[in-house]
């Protein structure tokens, strides 16, 4: 699927498709920032020397948060303990600064801002559920002026499943009435684990492997899906 908007036909209303709470991933779902976060590892690790190949290997082979990945990059580069070179904590700080400077001004995913505004006007509770650590995640929402849309924004070290469980308890709605919107396999698996519906965002190529209840590249159709409208892809 390309980054262009899909065309949908709105069919009959189905009250069983109504959702009372929406949970969004952040990067690649609301903001087009996945490539920025990838570049941030190269920017931060440059202080270790010429480690471009090492960074590429770690990003291709390993999973984890910024602390785990930068620690592994430093270990493989055999530079973390060298005199005069930055610590892993310094690398993480550089990574975080780079992300904040660039993600605060990067484009929103198509249709995202209009969808958030419509949900806010309808009074539908919204949350962020991200792998980004909670503190820098909340800082990014402040920088983008989006805090007014969300009841809370939560990230690591909590898992996405733990966050969904906490949201369900706080909102006191069944998982079947919660929609998880994300672009990654971790988002899809977390939704399936607890019994939420999953809307998968695809900007360039899919980053999730299994089936989604809705696949979209433009969030403008999301409010109709949440309100109970069935969507049929009519793109030829």
């Amino acid at each position: 699927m390309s980054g262009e908007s899909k065309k949908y036909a709105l069919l009959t209303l189905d009250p069983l498709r109504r959702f009372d709470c929406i949970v969004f991933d952040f990067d690649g779902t609301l903001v087009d920032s996945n490539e920025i976060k990838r570049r941030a590892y190269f920017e931060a690790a440059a202080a270790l020397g010429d480690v471009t190949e090492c960074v590429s290997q770690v990003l291709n082979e390993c999973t984890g948060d910024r602390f785990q990945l930068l620690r592994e990059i430093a270990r493989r580069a055999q530079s973390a303990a060298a005199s005069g070179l930055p610590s892993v904590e310094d690398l993480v700080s550089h990574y975080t600064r780079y992300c904040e400077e660039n993600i605060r001004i990067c484009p929103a995913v198509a249709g995202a801002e209009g969808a958030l505004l419509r949900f806010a006007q309808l009074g539908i509770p919204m949350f962020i559920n991200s792998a980004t650590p909670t503190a820098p995640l909340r800082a990014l929402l402040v920088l983008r002026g989006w805090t007014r849309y969300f009841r809370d924004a939560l990230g690591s070290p909590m898992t996405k499943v733990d966050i969904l469980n906490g949201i369900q308890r706080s909102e006191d709605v069944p998982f079947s009435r919660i929609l998880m919107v994300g672009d990654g396999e971790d988002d899809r698996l977390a939704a399936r684990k607890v019994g939420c519906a999953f809307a998968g965002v695809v900007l360039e190529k899919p980053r999730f492997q299994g089936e989604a209840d809705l696949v979209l590249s433009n969030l403008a159709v999301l409010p109709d899906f949440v309100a109970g409208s069935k969507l049929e892809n009519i793109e030829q």
Side-chain angles (χ1 to χ4, degrees), residues 1 5-19 115 118-119 179 181 198-201 212-235:
M1 182 186 298
S5 300
K6 287 292 187 183
K7 299 176 183 178
Y8 293 93
L10 295 181
L11 304 179
T12 58
L13 289 180
D14 178 0
L16 296 179
R17 300 303 302 163
R18 179 69 169 88
F19 298 101
R118 185 171 172 190
F119 289 137
L179 175 66
V181 185
F198 172 66
V201 179
D213 299 286
L214 174 69
V215 178
L216 66 168
S217 57
N218 187 321
L219 271 62
V221 302
L222 193 61
D224 290 306
F225 181 69
V226 168
S229 298
K230 291 182 178 179
L231 302 175
E232 180 180 76
N233 182 7
I234 60 172
E235 185 175 57

Side-chain angles (χ1 to χ4, degrees), residues 167-185:
I167 291 170
Q168 187 276 326
R169 289 193 297 270
S170 69
E171 294 302 301
D172 193 25
V173 296
F175 283 117
S176 60
R177 309 288 277 192
I178 298 174
L179 175 66
M180 177 74 204
V181 185
D183 71 320
E185 180 67 358

Side-chain angles (χ1 to χ4, degrees), residues 6 19 24 28 34 42 67-69 72 82 102 112 122 131 145 166 169 172 235:
K6 287 292 187 183
F19 298 101
F24 293 93
N34 284 332
F42 292 90
F67 296 93
Q68 294 165 323
L69 293 177
E72 179 63 13
N102 290 275
L122 292 171
R169 289 193 297 270
D172 193 25
E235 185 175 57

Side-chain angles (χ1 to χ4, degrees), residues 72-145:
E72 179 63 13
I73 289 167
R75 186 192 69 79
R76 292 193 187 189
Q78 298 182 341
S79 300
S83 176
L85 290 177
S87 66
V88 172
E89 289 74 18
D90 290 333
L91 298 178
V92 170
S93 294
H94 187 148
Y95 174 96
T96 300
R97 287 195 304 273
Y98 182 90
C99 288
E100 287 184 352
E101 291 168 3
N102 290 275
I103 295 176
R104 71 182 180 87
I105 57 172
C106 79
V109 168
E113 298 200 57
L116 293 177
L117 179 59
R118 185 171 172 190
F119 289 137
Q121 290 171 337
L122 292 171
I124 298 177
M126 292 180 285
F127 294 82
I128 297 286
N129 181 353
S130 173
T132 298
T134 297
L137 174 65
R138 289 173 174 169
L140 284 168
L141 290 179
V142 171
L143 290 170
R144 292 193 70 101

